[in-house]
Amino acid sequence: MSTLDPAAAPPTPSAATRHARAPVAYAVLVCLLGALFLAELSLGSVAIPVGAVADMLLSGSPGPSVWRDIVMGFRLPRALNALCSGAALGVAGLLLQTLFRNPLADPFVLGIVHGARLGSAVLVAFAGLAGNAFLLRFGLMGDVGLAVASVAGSAAVLALLAALSRHVGTVTLLIVGLMLGYLCVGLISVLMHFIDETQARAFKAWDDASFAGATWQQLRILLPGIGLGLLACAFLVKPLNGLLLGERYAASMGIPVARVKRLALFATAWLSGLVSAFCGPVAFLGLVAAQVARALMRSADHRRLLPAAGLLGAVLGLAADLVLHLPWSRHVFHLNAVIGLVGAPLALYLLYRTRSLHQAE
């Protein structure tokens, strides 16, 4: 098996040790997720006691009106967005690493997020030509249109990558993804010349990744959409395990390889596009979550990896957003900067490790 295969790992512990490790890891991640979620609702420029937050969520206790407005109007939508979008990107990163057999695969690294940006830019440019109030006039349909355009853009880039992956190596595929990302960025710049200054500023504000911008109306689209995407991924667990043994072996086991790959690619485009539509281009989160999940589970079994990647993505999303909204006195951080502080060193380490393994062979 190739050393670039994400399933290729150092010798793993015994089966009994792995079985014992998974429940403990899940329990720790769930507790950490709960703690971060409460911290998201409690901490900020206005500190709110955790007990008061818990009362608002569990018993519907109104509390001071200012606290309730802050928690229910601003912090709860942001926390739900960070949790669900982080989980979606973690699972998307895991699927891409399995499908392309590349430990560095990620929606941002492969240019899929930039494809979603291009789809959104096309919609904004069309709205500019049709009239400034085109999207606002349709209310909810404006958000649906943004989600559809973003998913379509990510699906287009992913389909092109899938076609090219048959003819290039795993490392070359990263370069191809990078070039496709730059191509999308260039096309976005061209499209920006065809819209007015107001819309350009709105697009630029959206283009700065953040979990804080989604409204309750948008979450009514985003959360069910992510739930459907994660549910579809859960049904792909056994076929994905079969693909790790090779496509010919999987086909001999009765797995419809082509259909499974198409469904997995669509699920990845769906999750990446939805998150990008309402959060902007979030970088590296899928890469970090998937790799940490592999290190934590020490297994290639997607029955363990899929929930672990989702939980880790949610934890990383909440943690990064919490760092942004702590009451810093002088500096304002950006989401991708916080995630990049972890993601970029990890990507460099994986590139170094991959190169070292090739030289050792």
Side-chain angles (χ1 to χ4, degrees), residues 69-141:
D69 289 343
I70 291 173
V71 171
M72 304 304 293
F74 298 98
R75 294 183 183 176
L76 183 58
R78 190 184 77 214
L80 289 173
N81 190 4
L83 188 154
C84 294
S85 296
L89 291 175
V91 170
L94 178 66
L95 288 182
L96 287 173
Q97 291 175 16
T98 299
L99 290 171
F100 293 119
R101 294 182 174 272
N102 193 315
L104 291 175
D106 168 80
F108 189 86
V109 173
L110 292 179
I112 299 166
V113 168
H114 297 299
R117 293 173 63 203
L118 178 60
S120 300
V122 169
L123 182 65
V124 171
F126 175 75
L129 294 174
N132 291 334
F134 177 78
L135 294 180
L136 294 177
R137 181 173 48 183
F138 289 94
L140 184 63
M141 288 304 296

Side-chain angles (χ1 to χ4, degrees), residues 30 38 47 49 103 116 159 180 218 277 280-281 300:
V30 169
L38 287 176
L180 288 176
Q218 292 172 334

Side-chain angles (χ1 to χ4, degrees), residues 110-112 114-116 152-162 177 180-181 184:
L110 292 179
I112 299 166
H114 297 299
S154 62
V157 172
L158 191 51
L160 186 56
L161 277 172
L180 288 176
C184 291

Side-chain angles (χ1 to χ4, degrees), residues 60-358:
S61 174
S65 60
V66 175
W67 286 1
R68 186 166 185 82
D69 289 343
I70 291 173
V71 171
M72 304 304 293
F74 298 98
R75 294 183 183 176
L76 183 58
R78 190 184 77 214
L80 289 173
N81 190 4
L83 188 154
C84 294
S85 296
L89 291 175
V91 170
L94 178 66
L95 288 182
L96 287 173
Q97 291 175 16
T98 299
L99 290 171
F100 293 119
R101 294 182 174 272
N102 193 315
L104 291 175
D106 168 80
F108 189 86
V109 173
L110 292 179
I112 299 166
V113 168
H114 297 299
R117 293 173 63 203
L118 178 60
S120 300
V122 169
L123 182 65
V124 171
F126 175 75
L129 294 174
N132 291 334
F134 177 78
L135 294 180
L136 294 177
R137 181 173 48 183
F138 289 94
L140 184 63
M141 288 304 296
D143 295 327
V144 172
L146 182 64
V148 170
S150 185
V151 170
S154 62
V157 172
L158 191 51
L160 186 56
L161 277 172
L164 293 173
S165 66
R166 304 170 188 171
H167 309 288
V168 300
T170 50
V171 175
T172 306
L173 187 66
L174 294 176
I175 300 174
V176 171
L178 184 65
M179 293 301 103
L180 288 176
Y182 279 124
L183 176 61
C184 291
V185 171
L187 292 173
I188 291 171
S189 298
V190 172
L191 286 173
M192 290 301 100
H193 287 285
F194 295 95
I195 62 177
D196 60 37
E197 186 176 349
T198 301
Q199 287 177 317
R201 283 199 299 267
F203 182 83
K204 183 173 176 58
W206 168 86
D207 208 30
D208 189 10
S210 173
F211 294 130
T215 63
W216 279 113
Q217 177 172 291
Q218 292 172 334
L219 289 179
R220 292 189 186 100
I221 301 170
L222 179 63
L223 301 189
I226 288 176
L228 287 174
L230 295 179
L231 182 62
C233 294
F235 285 105
L236 294 172
V237 164
K238 286 187 178 180
L240 288 173
N241 283 342
L243 287 178
L244 292 177
L245 301 175
E247 293 186 9
R248 290 185 179 179
Y249 185 82
S252 71
M253 294 172 59
I255 296 174
V257 174
R259 185 189 307 169
V260 168
K261 293 177 73 173
R262 284 196 300 269
L263 289 174
L265 289 171
F266 179 76
T268 303
W270 176 268
L271 292 173
S272 303
L274 279 177
V275 173
S276 298
F278 299 115
C279 304
V282 180
F284 286 125
L285 200 150
L287 169 66
V288 177
Q291 284 300 326
V292 175
R294 294 184 191 281
L296 190 62
M297 293 291 108
R298 297 189 183 181
S299 170
D301 189 347
H302 286 80
R303 290 175 298 179
R304 296 185 177 88
L305 286 178
L306 196 72
L311 285 171
L312 278 161
V315 166
L316 290 170
L318 282 171
D321 193 68
L322 179 61
V323 170
L324 297 183
H325 292 93
L326 288 175
W328 304 104
S329 59
R330 297 178 57 186
H331 301 287
V332 177
F333 294 98
H334 294 280
L335 180 63
N336 282 342
V338 175
I339 299 174
L341 289 174
V342 178
L346 179 61
L348 290 172
Y349 167 74
L350 290 170
L351 277 173
Y352 171 78
R353 183 173 178 271
T354 301
R355 187 179 183 86
S356 299
L357 289 171
H358 271 301

